[in-house]
Protein backbone atom coordinates (compact mmCIF):
# COMPACT_ATOMS: atom_id res chain seq x y z
CA UNK A 1 0.00 0.00 0.00
CA UNK A 2 2.73 2.46 0.94
CA UNK A 3 4.65 1.65 -2.20
CA UNK A 4 1.62 2.27 -4.41
CA UNK A 5 0.77 5.48 -2.59
CA UNK A 6 4.30 6.75 -2.96
CA UNK A 7 4.24 6.05 -6.70
CA UNK A 8 0.99 7.98 -7.09
CA UNK A 9 2.33 11.00 -5.21
CA UNK A 10 5.53 10.95 -7.24
CA UNK A 11 3.56 10.83 -10.48
CA UNK A 12 1.40 13.80 -9.43
CA UNK A 13 4.45 15.87 -8.49
CA UNK A 14 6.24 14.99 -11.73
CA UNK A 15 3.46 16.73 -13.65
CA UNK A 16 4.46 20.04 -12.03
CA UNK A 17 7.39 21.77 -13.78
CA UNK A 18 10.36 23.04 -11.80
CA UNK A 19 9.88 26.78 -11.22
CA UNK A 20 13.05 28.69 -12.12
CA UNK A 21 11.67 32.24 -12.22
CA UNK A 22 10.89 32.31 -15.95
CA UNK A 23 7.94 29.90 -15.97
CA UNK A 24 5.76 30.99 -13.04
CA UNK A 25 2.45 30.69 -14.91
CA UNK A 26 3.33 27.17 -16.06
CA UNK A 27 4.23 26.22 -12.50
CA UNK A 28 1.49 28.01 -10.54
CA UNK A 29 -1.57 26.35 -12.09
CA UNK A 30 -0.60 22.67 -11.59
CA UNK A 31 0.96 23.42 -8.18
CA UNK A 32 -2.21 25.12 -6.98
CA UNK A 33 -4.31 22.22 -8.34
CA UNK A 34 -2.09 19.75 -6.48
CA UNK A 35 -2.37 21.66 -3.19
CA UNK A 36 -6.15 21.95 -3.59
CA UNK A 37 -6.37 18.21 -4.23
CA UNK A 38 -4.42 17.62 -1.01
CA UNK A 39 -6.59 20.17 0.88
CA UNK A 40 -3.54 22.33 1.53
CA UNK A 41 -4.05 25.36 -0.69
CA UNK A 42 -6.40 27.15 1.72
CA UNK A 43 -4.38 25.95 4.68
CA UNK A 44 -0.76 26.49 3.70
CA UNK A 45 0.90 24.46 6.46
CA UNK A 46 4.34 22.85 6.69
CA UNK A 47 3.21 20.04 4.41
CA UNK A 48 2.33 22.58 1.71
CA UNK A 49 5.69 24.28 2.23
CA UNK A 50 7.51 21.02 1.58
CA UNK A 51 5.47 20.34 -1.56
CA UNK A 52 6.15 23.82 -2.93
CA UNK A 53 9.90 23.58 -2.32
CA UNK A 54 10.07 20.23 -4.13
CA UNK A 55 9.23 21.98 -7.40
CA UNK A 56 11.47 25.03 -7.08
CA UNK A 57 14.95 25.42 -8.53
CA UNK A 58 17.91 25.64 -6.16
CA UNK A 59 18.23 29.37 -6.86
CA UNK A 60 14.60 30.01 -5.87
CA UNK A 61 14.96 27.83 -2.76
CA UNK A 62 17.94 29.93 -1.71
CA UNK A 63 15.88 33.04 -2.32
CA UNK A 64 13.03 31.96 0.00
CA UNK A 65 15.10 30.36 2.75
CA UNK A 66 14.26 33.10 5.27
CA UNK A 67 10.49 32.71 4.90
CA UNK A 68 9.03 30.63 7.71
CA UNK A 69 5.59 29.76 6.29
CA UNK A 70 4.18 28.41 3.05
CA UNK A 71 1.84 31.41 2.87
CA UNK A 72 4.78 33.82 2.86
CA UNK A 73 6.57 31.79 0.20
CA UNK A 74 3.50 31.66 -2.04
CA UNK A 75 2.91 35.43 -1.77
CA UNK A 76 6.56 36.21 -2.48
CA UNK A 77 6.61 34.04 -5.60
CA UNK A 78 3.32 35.48 -6.82
CA UNK A 79 4.37 39.10 -6.29
CA UNK A 80 7.77 38.67 -7.91
CA UNK A 81 7.17 36.27 -10.78
CA UNK A 82 3.49 36.52 -11.75
CA UNK A 83 4.15 39.09 -14.44
CA UNK A 84 2.43 38.15 -17.67
CA UNK A 85 4.13 40.07 -20.44
CA UNK A 86 5.88 39.78 -23.77
CA UNK A 87 8.85 37.91 -22.30
CA UNK A 88 6.59 35.28 -20.67
CA UNK A 89 4.51 34.85 -23.81
CA UNK A 90 7.66 34.54 -25.92
CA UNK A 91 9.03 31.87 -23.59
CA UNK A 92 5.81 29.86 -23.73
CA UNK A 93 5.65 30.08 -27.53
CA UNK A 94 9.26 28.89 -27.78
CA UNK A 95 8.29 25.82 -25.74
CA UNK A 96 5.33 25.20 -28.05
CA UNK A 97 7.57 25.41 -31.13
CA UNK A 98 10.11 22.99 -29.65
CA UNK A 99 7.57 20.51 -28.27
CA UNK A 100 8.08 16.87 -29.31
CA UNK A 101 6.72 13.53 -28.08
CA UNK A 102 9.62 11.16 -27.44
CA UNK A 103 10.29 7.89 -25.64
CA UNK A 104 8.17 4.79 -25.23
CA UNK A 105 6.03 5.94 -22.31
CA UNK A 106 2.31 6.69 -22.46
CA UNK A 107 2.15 10.08 -24.26
CA UNK A 108 -0.83 11.30 -22.24
CA UNK A 109 1.24 13.22 -19.67
CA UNK A 110 3.37 14.89 -22.37
CA UNK A 111 0.30 15.95 -24.36
CA UNK A 112 -1.20 17.39 -21.15
CA UNK A 113 1.86 19.65 -20.85
CA UNK A 114 1.26 20.98 -24.35
CA UNK A 115 -2.42 21.61 -23.56
CA UNK A 116 -1.32 23.50 -20.44
CA UNK A 117 0.95 25.72 -22.53
CA UNK A 118 -1.97 26.62 -24.79
CA UNK A 119 -4.13 27.37 -21.73
CA UNK A 120 -1.52 29.73 -20.30
CA UNK A 121 -1.09 31.53 -23.60
CA UNK A 122 -4.86 32.05 -23.73
CA UNK A 123 -4.84 33.40 -20.16
CA UNK A 124 -2.15 35.90 -21.18
CA UNK A 125 -4.13 37.15 -24.17
CA UNK A 126 -2.14 35.20 -26.76
CA UNK A 127 -4.58 32.40 -27.62
CA UNK A 128 -3.59 30.13 -30.49
CA UNK A 129 -6.23 28.93 -32.94
CA UNK A 130 -7.72 25.43 -32.76
CA UNK A 131 -6.16 24.71 -36.14
CA UNK A 132 -2.68 25.71 -34.95
CA UNK A 133 -3.06 23.66 -31.75
CA UNK A 134 -4.01 20.56 -33.75
CA UNK A 135 -1.15 21.08 -36.21
CA UNK A 136 1.32 21.52 -33.36
CA UNK A 137 0.28 18.20 -31.82
CA UNK A 138 0.50 16.44 -35.18
CA UNK A 139 3.99 17.84 -35.67
CA UNK A 140 4.97 16.73 -32.14
CA UNK A 141 4.00 13.13 -32.97
CA UNK A 142 5.13 13.06 -36.61
CA UNK A 143 8.46 11.38 -35.83
CA UNK A 144 6.91 8.73 -33.58
CA UNK A 145 3.69 8.08 -35.56
CA UNK A 146 4.31 9.18 -39.19
CA UNK A 147 1.75 6.68 -40.54
CA UNK A 148 -0.99 7.93 -38.19
CA UNK A 149 -0.30 11.57 -39.04
CA UNK A 150 -0.41 10.82 -42.76
CA UNK A 151 -3.70 8.90 -42.49
CA UNK A 152 -5.32 11.53 -40.27
CA UNK A 153 -4.42 14.38 -42.62
CA UNK A 154 -5.70 12.46 -45.65
CA UNK A 155 -9.06 11.82 -43.97
CA UNK A 156 -9.73 15.26 -42.45
CA UNK A 157 -10.10 18.73 -43.93
CA UNK A 158 -8.29 21.67 -42.34
CA UNK A 159 -11.46 22.90 -40.65
CA UNK A 160 -12.02 19.50 -39.02
CA UNK A 161 -8.60 19.09 -37.36
CA UNK A 162 -9.04 18.51 -33.62
CA UNK A 163 -6.46 18.57 -30.84
CA UNK A 164 -8.56 16.23 -28.66
CA UNK A 165 -9.13 13.66 -31.42
CA UNK A 166 -5.45 13.61 -32.30
CA UNK A 167 -4.59 13.11 -28.62
CA UNK A 168 -6.99 10.16 -28.39
CA UNK A 169 -5.53 8.67 -31.59
CA UNK A 170 -1.94 8.81 -30.29
CA UNK A 171 -2.82 7.41 -26.86
CA UNK A 172 -4.94 4.61 -28.36
CA UNK A 173 -2.10 3.56 -30.65
CA UNK A 174 0.33 3.52 -27.73
CA UNK A 175 -2.01 1.21 -25.78
CA UNK A 176 -2.41 -1.04 -28.84
CA UNK A 177 1.33 -1.46 -29.42
CA UNK A 178 1.99 -1.89 -25.67
CA UNK A 179 -0.59 -4.70 -25.53
CA UNK A 180 0.82 -6.43 -28.61
CA UNK A 181 4.25 -6.47 -27.00
CA UNK A 182 3.10 -8.58 -24.02
CA UNK A 183 3.47 -12.40 -24.05
CA UNK A 184 0.12 -14.17 -23.73
CA UNK A 185 -0.74 -16.87 -21.22
CA UNK A 186 -1.79 -19.17 -24.06
CA UNK A 187 1.71 -19.20 -25.53
CA UNK A 188 3.25 -19.98 -22.16
CA UNK A 189 0.77 -22.84 -21.64
CA UNK A 190 1.53 -24.40 -25.00
CA UNK A 191 5.27 -24.24 -24.39
CA UNK A 192 4.74 -25.96 -21.05
CA UNK A 193 2.94 -28.87 -22.72
CA UNK A 194 5.72 -29.24 -25.22
CA UNK A 195 8.27 -29.45 -22.45
CA UNK A 196 6.19 -32.13 -20.73
CA UNK A 197 6.19 -34.32 -23.86
CA UNK A 198 9.98 -34.32 -23.85
CA UNK A 199 10.02 -36.20 -20.55
CA UNK A 200 11.50 -39.76 -20.58
CA UNK A 201 9.59 -43.07 -20.23
CA UNK A 202 6.16 -41.98 -21.39
CA UNK A 203 5.15 -45.53 -22.50
CA UNK A 204 5.01 -48.49 -20.22
CA UNK A 205 5.00 -52.14 -21.21
CA UNK A 206 6.36 -53.74 -24.32
CA UNK A 207 6.69 -51.69 -27.45
CA UNK A 208 7.70 -52.64 -30.93
CA UNK A 209 11.36 -52.44 -30.05
CA UNK A 210 10.81 -54.86 -27.13
CA UNK A 211 9.08 -57.38 -29.34
CA UNK A 212 11.90 -57.18 -31.83
CA UNK A 213 14.48 -57.81 -29.13
CA UNK A 214 12.70 -60.99 -28.04
CA UNK A 215 11.88 -62.26 -31.54
CA UNK A 216 15.08 -64.24 -32.31
CA UNK A 217 14.42 -67.97 -31.86
CA UNK A 218 16.07 -69.71 -28.99
CA UNK A 219 18.37 -72.73 -29.47
CA UNK A 220 15.68 -75.08 -28.07
CA UNK A 221 13.22 -74.11 -30.77
CA UNK A 222 15.89 -74.75 -33.40
CA UNK A 223 16.45 -78.17 -31.97
CA UNK A 224 12.79 -79.07 -31.96
CA UNK A 225 12.38 -78.01 -35.54
CA UNK A 226 15.48 -79.86 -36.61
CA UNK A 227 14.23 -82.95 -34.82
CA UNK A 228 11.12 -83.08 -36.92
CA UNK A 229 13.14 -83.58 -40.09
CA UNK A 230 13.29 -87.17 -41.30
Amino acid sequence: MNGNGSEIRTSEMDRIPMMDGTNYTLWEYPMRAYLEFKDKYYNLDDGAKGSIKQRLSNAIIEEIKDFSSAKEIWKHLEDKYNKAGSAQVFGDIQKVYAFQIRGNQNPEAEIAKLALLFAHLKAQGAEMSKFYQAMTLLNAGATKWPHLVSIYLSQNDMKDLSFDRIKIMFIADWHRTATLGQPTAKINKISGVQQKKKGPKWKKGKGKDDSKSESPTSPSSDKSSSGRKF
Side-chain angles (χ1 to χ4, degrees), residues 11-53:
S11 177
E12 290 170 351
M13 291 298 291
D14 286 344
R15 294 174 184 268
I16 304 171
M18 296 293 291
M19 212 282 276
D20 59 8
T22 65
N23 60 341
Y24 177 83
T25 55
L26 283 176
W27 171 86
E28 188 270 344
Y29 179 80
M31 175 56 76
R32 175 161 50 85
Y34 175 81
L35 294 175
E36 287 177 352
F37 176 73
K38 297 295 182 180
D39 294 326
K40 293 179 179 179
Y41 181 69
Y42 298 103
N43 181 25
L44 294 174
D45 55 12
D46 289 340
K49 180 180 177 181
S51 297
I52 292 170
K53 291 177 70 174

Short mmCIF file of all heavy atoms in Angstrom, two decimals, residues 11-53:
data_model
loop_
_atom_site.label_atom_id
_atom_site.label_comp_id
_atom_site.label_asym_id
_atom_site.label_seq_id
_atom_site.Cartn_x
_atom_site.Cartn_y
_atom_site.Cartn_z
N SER A 11 4.09 10.55 -9.16
CA SER A 11 3.56 10.83 -10.48
C SER A 11 2.86 12.18 -10.53
O SER A 11 3.02 12.95 -11.47
CB SER A 11 2.58 9.72 -10.89
OG SER A 11 2.00 10.00 -12.13
N GLU A 12 2.09 12.51 -9.49
CA GLU A 12 1.40 13.80 -9.43
C GLU A 12 2.41 14.95 -9.39
O GLU A 12 2.24 15.95 -10.09
CB GLU A 12 0.50 13.84 -8.20
CG GLU A 12 -0.71 12.93 -8.29
CD GLU A 12 -1.45 12.82 -6.97
OE1 GLU A 12 -0.92 13.32 -5.96
OE2 GLU A 12 -2.53 12.22 -6.96
N MET A 13 3.45 14.81 -8.59
CA MET A 13 4.45 15.87 -8.49
C MET A 13 5.24 16.03 -9.78
O MET A 13 5.65 17.13 -10.14
CB MET A 13 5.40 15.58 -7.32
CG MET A 13 4.78 15.70 -5.95
SD MET A 13 4.18 17.37 -5.57
CE MET A 13 5.72 18.27 -5.43
N ASP A 14 5.47 14.93 -10.49
CA ASP A 14 6.24 14.99 -11.73
C ASP A 14 5.52 15.80 -12.80
O ASP A 14 6.16 16.28 -13.75
CB ASP A 14 6.51 13.58 -12.26
CG ASP A 14 7.57 12.87 -11.43
OD1 ASP A 14 8.28 13.55 -10.68
OD2 ASP A 14 7.68 11.63 -11.54
N ARG A 15 4.22 15.95 -12.68
CA ARG A 15 3.46 16.73 -13.65
C ARG A 15 3.67 18.23 -13.47
O ARG A 15 3.31 19.02 -14.33
CB ARG A 15 1.97 16.41 -13.56
CG ARG A 15 1.61 14.98 -13.96
CD ARG A 15 0.14 14.69 -13.69
NE ARG A 15 -0.20 13.31 -13.98
CZ ARG A 15 -0.66 12.87 -15.15
NH1 ARG A 15 -0.83 13.74 -16.14
NH2 ARG A 15 -0.95 11.61 -15.34
N ILE A 16 4.24 18.62 -12.33
CA ILE A 16 4.46 20.04 -12.03
C ILE A 16 5.88 20.41 -12.47
O ILE A 16 6.84 19.80 -12.01
CB ILE A 16 4.28 20.32 -10.53
CG1 ILE A 16 2.90 19.85 -10.06
CG2 ILE A 16 4.47 21.80 -10.23
CD1 ILE A 16 2.71 19.90 -8.55
N PRO A 17 6.03 21.39 -13.35
CA PRO A 17 7.39 21.77 -13.78
C PRO A 17 8.19 22.41 -12.65
O PRO A 17 7.61 22.93 -11.70
CB PRO A 17 7.13 22.77 -14.92
CG PRO A 17 5.78 23.34 -14.61
CD PRO A 17 4.99 22.24 -13.98
N MET A 18 9.50 22.36 -12.76
CA MET A 18 10.36 23.04 -11.80
C MET A 18 10.30 24.54 -12.08
O MET A 18 10.54 24.98 -13.20
CB MET A 18 11.80 22.55 -11.92
CG MET A 18 11.98 21.09 -11.57
SD MET A 18 11.69 20.73 -9.82
CE MET A 18 13.10 21.57 -9.08
N MET A 19 9.98 25.33 -11.05
CA MET A 19 9.88 26.78 -11.22
C MET A 19 11.26 27.40 -11.07
O MET A 19 11.91 27.25 -10.04
CB MET A 19 8.91 27.37 -10.19
CG MET A 19 8.16 28.60 -10.70
SD MET A 19 9.14 30.11 -10.68
CE MET A 19 8.92 30.63 -8.99
N ASP A 20 11.71 28.09 -12.14
CA ASP A 20 13.05 28.69 -12.12
C ASP A 20 13.02 30.21 -12.22
O ASP A 20 14.06 30.85 -12.39
CB ASP A 20 13.89 28.12 -13.26
CG ASP A 20 13.26 28.37 -14.63
OD1 ASP A 20 12.26 29.12 -14.72
OD2 ASP A 20 13.77 27.80 -15.62
N GLY A 21 11.80 30.80 -12.14
CA GLY A 21 11.67 32.24 -12.22
C GLY A 21 11.20 32.74 -13.57
O GLY A 21 10.72 33.86 -13.69
N THR A 22 11.32 31.91 -14.61
CA THR A 22 10.89 32.31 -15.95
C THR A 22 9.59 31.64 -16.37
O THR A 22 9.03 31.97 -17.42
CB THR A 22 11.96 31.94 -16.99
OG1 THR A 22 12.09 30.51 -17.05
CG2 THR A 22 13.30 32.56 -16.63
N ASN A 23 9.10 30.69 -15.57
CA ASN A 23 7.94 29.90 -15.97
C ASN A 23 6.88 29.85 -14.85
O ASN A 23 6.27 28.80 -14.61
CB ASN A 23 8.37 28.48 -16.33
CG ASN A 23 9.06 27.76 -15.17
OD1 ASN A 23 9.52 28.40 -14.22
ND2 ASN A 23 9.11 26.44 -15.22
N TYR A 24 6.68 30.98 -14.19
CA TYR A 24 5.76 30.99 -13.04
C TYR A 24 4.35 30.54 -13.43
O TYR A 24 3.73 29.73 -12.73
CB TYR A 24 5.69 32.39 -12.42
CG TYR A 24 4.69 32.47 -11.29
CD1 TYR A 24 5.03 32.07 -10.01
CD2 TYR A 24 3.39 32.94 -11.52
CE1 TYR A 24 4.10 32.12 -8.97
CE2 TYR A 24 2.46 33.00 -10.49
CZ TYR A 24 2.82 32.59 -9.22
OH TYR A 24 1.90 32.64 -8.19
N THR A 25 3.82 31.04 -14.54
CA THR A 25 2.45 30.69 -14.91
C THR A 25 2.31 29.21 -15.24
O THR A 25 1.28 28.60 -14.96
CB THR A 25 1.98 31.52 -16.12
OG1 THR A 25 2.90 31.36 -17.20
CG2 THR A 25 1.90 33.00 -15.76
N LEU A 26 3.35 28.61 -15.80
CA LEU A 26 3.33 27.17 -16.06
C LEU A 26 3.38 26.37 -14.77
O LEU A 26 2.84 25.27 -14.68
CB LEU A 26 4.51 26.78 -16.96
CG LEU A 26 4.40 27.09 -18.44
CD1 LEU A 26 5.69 26.71 -19.14
CD2 LEU A 26 3.22 26.37 -19.07
N TRP A 27 4.06 26.90 -13.78
CA TRP A 27 4.23 26.22 -12.50
C TRP A 27 3.04 26.43 -11.57
O TRP A 27 2.59 25.50 -10.90
CB TRP A 27 5.51 26.74 -11.83
CG TRP A 27 5.71 26.30 -10.41
CD1 TRP A 27 6.30 25.13 -9.99
CD2 TRP A 27 5.32 27.00 -9.22
NE1 TRP A 27 6.31 25.07 -8.61
CE2 TRP A 27 5.71 26.21 -8.11
CE3 TRP A 27 4.70 28.22 -8.98
CZ2 TRP A 27 5.49 26.60 -6.79
CZ3 TRP A 27 4.47 28.61 -7.67
CH2 TRP A 27 4.87 27.81 -6.59
N GLU A 28 2.50 27.65 -11.54
CA GLU A 28 1.49 28.01 -10.54
C GLU A 28 0.20 27.20 -10.68
O GLU A 28 -0.35 26.72 -9.68
CB GLU A 28 1.18 29.51 -10.66
CG GLU A 28 0.26 30.05 -9.56
CD GLU A 28 -1.20 29.96 -9.92
OE1 GLU A 28 -1.52 29.78 -11.11
OE2 GLU A 28 -2.05 30.07 -9.00
N TYR A 29 -0.28 27.02 -11.90
CA TYR A 29 -1.57 26.35 -12.09
C TYR A 29 -1.55 24.89 -11.62
O TYR A 29 -2.38 24.50 -10.80
CB TYR A 29 -2.00 26.44 -13.56
CG TYR A 29 -3.31 25.76 -13.84
CD1 TYR A 29 -4.52 26.38 -13.55
CD2 TYR A 29 -3.33 24.47 -14.39
CE1 TYR A 29 -5.72 25.75 -13.81
CE2 TYR A 29 -4.54 23.84 -14.65
CZ TYR A 29 -5.73 24.48 -14.35
OH TYR A 29 -6.91 23.84 -14.60
N PRO A 30 -0.61 24.06 -12.08
CA PRO A 30 -0.60 22.67 -11.59
C PRO A 30 -0.23 22.56 -10.11
O PRO A 30 -0.72 21.66 -9.41
CB PRO A 30 0.43 21.97 -12.48
CG PRO A 30 1.29 23.05 -13.01
CD PRO A 30 0.42 24.26 -13.13
N MET A 31 0.62 23.47 -9.60
CA MET A 31 0.96 23.42 -8.18
C MET A 31 -0.26 23.75 -7.32
O MET A 31 -0.53 23.09 -6.31
CB MET A 31 2.12 24.38 -7.88
CG MET A 31 2.48 24.49 -6.39
SD MET A 31 2.87 22.88 -5.61
CE MET A 31 4.51 22.58 -6.27
N ARG A 32 -1.00 24.76 -7.73
CA ARG A 32 -2.21 25.12 -6.98
C ARG A 32 -3.23 23.98 -7.04
O ARG A 32 -3.87 23.67 -6.03
CB ARG A 32 -2.82 26.41 -7.54
CG ARG A 32 -4.15 26.79 -6.91
CD ARG A 32 -4.46 28.25 -7.14
NE ARG A 32 -4.32 28.64 -8.53
CZ ARG A 32 -5.28 28.49 -9.46
NH1 ARG A 32 -6.43 27.95 -9.13
NH2 ARG A 32 -5.08 28.90 -10.69
N ALA A 33 -3.38 23.36 -8.21
CA ALA A 33 -4.31 22.22 -8.34
C ALA A 33 -3.90 21.06 -7.43
O ALA A 33 -4.74 20.41 -6.81
CB ALA A 33 -4.36 21.77 -9.79
N TYR A 34 -2.58 20.82 -7.34
CA TYR A 34 -2.09 19.75 -6.48
C TYR A 34 -2.38 20.05 -5.01
O TYR A 34 -2.85 19.18 -4.27
CB TYR A 34 -0.58 19.59 -6.69
CG TYR A 34 0.06 18.58 -5.76
CD1 TYR A 34 0.00 17.22 -6.02
CD2 TYR A 34 0.74 19.01 -4.60
CE1 TYR A 34 0.58 16.30 -5.16
CE2 TYR A 34 1.32 18.10 -3.75
CZ TYR A 34 1.24 16.75 -4.03
OH TYR A 34 1.81 15.83 -3.17
N LEU A 35 -2.13 21.29 -4.58
CA LEU A 35 -2.37 21.66 -3.19
C LEU A 35 -3.87 21.63 -2.86
O LEU A 35 -4.26 21.23 -1.75
CB LEU A 35 -1.79 23.05 -2.91
CG LEU A 35 -0.26 23.17 -2.98
CD1 LEU A 35 0.16 24.62 -2.82
CD2 LEU A 35 0.40 22.29 -1.92
N GLU A 36 -4.70 22.02 -3.81
CA GLU A 36 -6.15 21.95 -3.59
C GLU A 36 -6.60 20.51 -3.46
O GLU A 36 -7.45 20.18 -2.63
CB GLU A 36 -6.89 22.64 -4.74
CG GLU A 36 -6.77 24.17 -4.72
CD GLU A 36 -7.46 24.81 -5.91
OE1 GLU A 36 -7.88 24.07 -6.82
OE2 GLU A 36 -7.58 26.05 -5.92
N PHE A 37 -6.03 19.63 -4.29
CA PHE A 37 -6.37 18.21 -4.23
C PHE A 37 -5.98 17.61 -2.87
O PHE A 37 -6.68 16.75 -2.33
CB PHE A 37 -5.65 17.46 -5.36
CG PHE A 37 -5.86 15.97 -5.34
CD1 PHE A 37 -7.08 15.42 -5.70
CD2 PHE A 37 -4.83 15.12 -4.96
CE1 PHE A 37 -7.27 14.05 -5.68
CE2 PHE A 37 -5.02 13.75 -4.93
CZ PHE A 37 -6.25 13.20 -5.29
N LYS A 38 -4.89 18.10 -2.30
CA LYS A 38 -4.42 17.62 -1.01
C LYS A 38 -5.00 18.42 0.16
O LYS A 38 -4.60 18.21 1.32
CB LYS A 38 -2.89 17.70 -0.93
CG LYS A 38 -2.17 16.81 -1.94
CD LYS A 38 -2.42 15.35 -1.66
CE LYS A 38 -1.66 14.46 -2.63
NZ LYS A 38 -1.90 13.03 -2.37
N ASP A 39 -5.95 19.31 -0.14
CA ASP A 39 -6.59 20.17 0.88
C ASP A 39 -5.57 21.02 1.63
O ASP A 39 -5.66 21.22 2.85
CB ASP A 39 -7.38 19.30 1.89
CG ASP A 39 -8.57 18.63 1.24
OD1 ASP A 39 -9.17 19.24 0.34
OD2 ASP A 39 -8.90 17.49 1.63
N LYS A 40 -4.58 21.53 0.91
CA LYS A 40 -3.54 22.33 1.53
C LYS A 40 -3.48 23.76 1.01
O LYS A 40 -2.81 24.60 1.59
CB LYS A 40 -2.16 21.67 1.30
CG LYS A 40 -1.99 20.33 2.00
CD LYS A 40 -0.62 19.73 1.70
CE LYS A 40 -0.43 18.40 2.41
NZ LYS A 40 0.90 17.80 2.11
N TYR A 41 -4.19 24.03 -0.09
CA TYR A 41 -4.05 25.36 -0.69
C TYR A 41 -4.64 26.45 0.21
O TYR A 41 -4.08 27.54 0.33
CB TYR A 41 -4.73 25.40 -2.06
CG TYR A 41 -4.62 26.74 -2.74
CD1 TYR A 41 -3.39 27.19 -3.21
CD2 TYR A 41 -5.74 27.55 -2.91
CE1 TYR A 41 -3.28 28.43 -3.82
CE2 TYR A 41 -5.64 28.79 -3.53
CZ TYR A 41 -4.40 29.22 -3.98
OH TYR A 41 -4.30 30.45 -4.58
N TYR A 42 -5.77 26.16 0.85
CA TYR A 42 -6.40 27.15 1.72
C TYR A 42 -5.92 27.02 3.17
O TYR A 42 -6.40 27.69 4.06
CB TYR A 42 -7.92 27.01 1.64
CG TYR A 42 -8.43 27.27 0.24
CD1 TYR A 42 -8.81 26.21 -0.58
CD2 TYR A 42 -8.50 28.56 -0.27
CE1 TYR A 42 -9.26 26.44 -1.87
CE2 TYR A 42 -8.95 28.79 -1.56
CZ TYR A 42 -9.33 27.73 -2.35
OH TYR A 42 -9.77 27.96 -3.63
N ASN A 43 -4.99 26.12 3.36
CA ASN A 43 -4.38 25.95 4.68
C ASN A 43 -2.90 25.64 4.46
O ASN A 43 -2.46 24.50 4.60
CB ASN A 43 -5.07 24.82 5.45
CG ASN A 43 -4.48 24.62 6.84
OD1 ASN A 43 -3.91 25.54 7.42
ND2 ASN A 43 -4.59 23.41 7.37
N LEU A 44 -2.16 26.67 4.09
CA LEU A 44 -0.76 26.49 3.70
C LEU A 44 0.11 26.18 4.92
O LEU A 44 0.73 27.05 5.52
CB LEU A 44 -0.26 27.74 2.98
CG LEU A 44 -0.94 28.02 1.62
CD1 LEU A 44 -0.47 29.35 1.06
CD2 LEU A 44 -0.66 26.89 0.63
N ASP A 45 0.15 24.89 5.29
CA ASP A 45 0.90 24.46 6.46
C ASP A 45 2.30 24.00 6.05
O ASP A 45 2.75 24.23 4.92
CB ASP A 45 0.14 23.33 7.17
CG ASP A 45 -0.19 22.17 6.23
OD1 ASP A 45 0.37 22.14 5.10
OD2 ASP A 45 -0.98 21.30 6.61
N ASP A 46 2.99 23.32 6.98
CA ASP A 46 4.34 22.85 6.69
C ASP A 46 4.36 21.81 5.57
O ASP A 46 5.33 21.73 4.81
CB ASP A 46 4.97 22.26 7.96
CG ASP A 46 5.30 23.33 8.99
OD1 ASP A 46 5.41 24.51 8.59
OD2 ASP A 46 5.46 22.99 10.18
N GLY A 47 3.28 21.02 5.49
CA GLY A 47 3.21 20.04 4.41
C GLY A 47 3.16 20.72 3.05
O GLY A 47 3.81 20.28 2.09
N ALA A 48 2.41 21.81 2.95
CA ALA A 48 2.33 22.58 1.71
C ALA A 48 3.68 23.21 1.39
O ALA A 48 4.10 23.26 0.23
CB ALA A 48 1.25 23.65 1.83
N LYS A 49 4.36 23.67 2.42
CA LYS A 49 5.69 24.28 2.23
C LYS A 49 6.65 23.27 1.61
O LYS A 49 7.40 23.60 0.68
CB LYS A 49 6.21 24.78 3.57
CG LYS A 49 7.59 25.45 3.50
CD LYS A 49 8.03 25.92 4.89
CE LYS A 49 9.42 26.52 4.85
NZ LYS A 49 9.86 26.96 6.20
N GLY A 50 6.63 22.06 2.12
CA GLY A 50 7.51 21.02 1.58
C GLY A 50 7.18 20.69 0.14
O GLY A 50 8.08 20.51 -0.69
N SER A 51 5.88 20.63 -0.18
CA SER A 51 5.47 20.34 -1.56
C SER A 51 5.91 21.45 -2.50
O SER A 51 6.39 21.18 -3.61
CB SER A 51 3.95 20.18 -1.62
OG SER A 51 3.53 19.07 -0.83
N ILE A 52 5.76 22.68 -2.09
CA ILE A 52 6.15 23.82 -2.93
C ILE A 52 7.65 23.79 -3.21
O ILE A 52 8.10 23.95 -4.35
CB ILE A 52 5.75 25.15 -2.26
CG1 ILE A 52 4.22 25.29 -2.23
CG2 ILE A 52 6.37 26.34 -2.99
CD1 ILE A 52 3.74 26.45 -1.37
N LYS A 53 8.44 23.55 -2.17
CA LYS A 53 9.90 23.58 -2.32
C LYS A 53 10.40 22.45 -3.21
O LYS A 53 11.45 22.59 -3.85
CB LYS A 53 10.56 23.51 -0.94
CG LYS A 53 10.36 24.77 -0.11
CD LYS A 53 10.96 24.63 1.28
CE LYS A 53 12.47 24.60 1.23
NZ LYS A 53 13.05 24.61 2.60
#
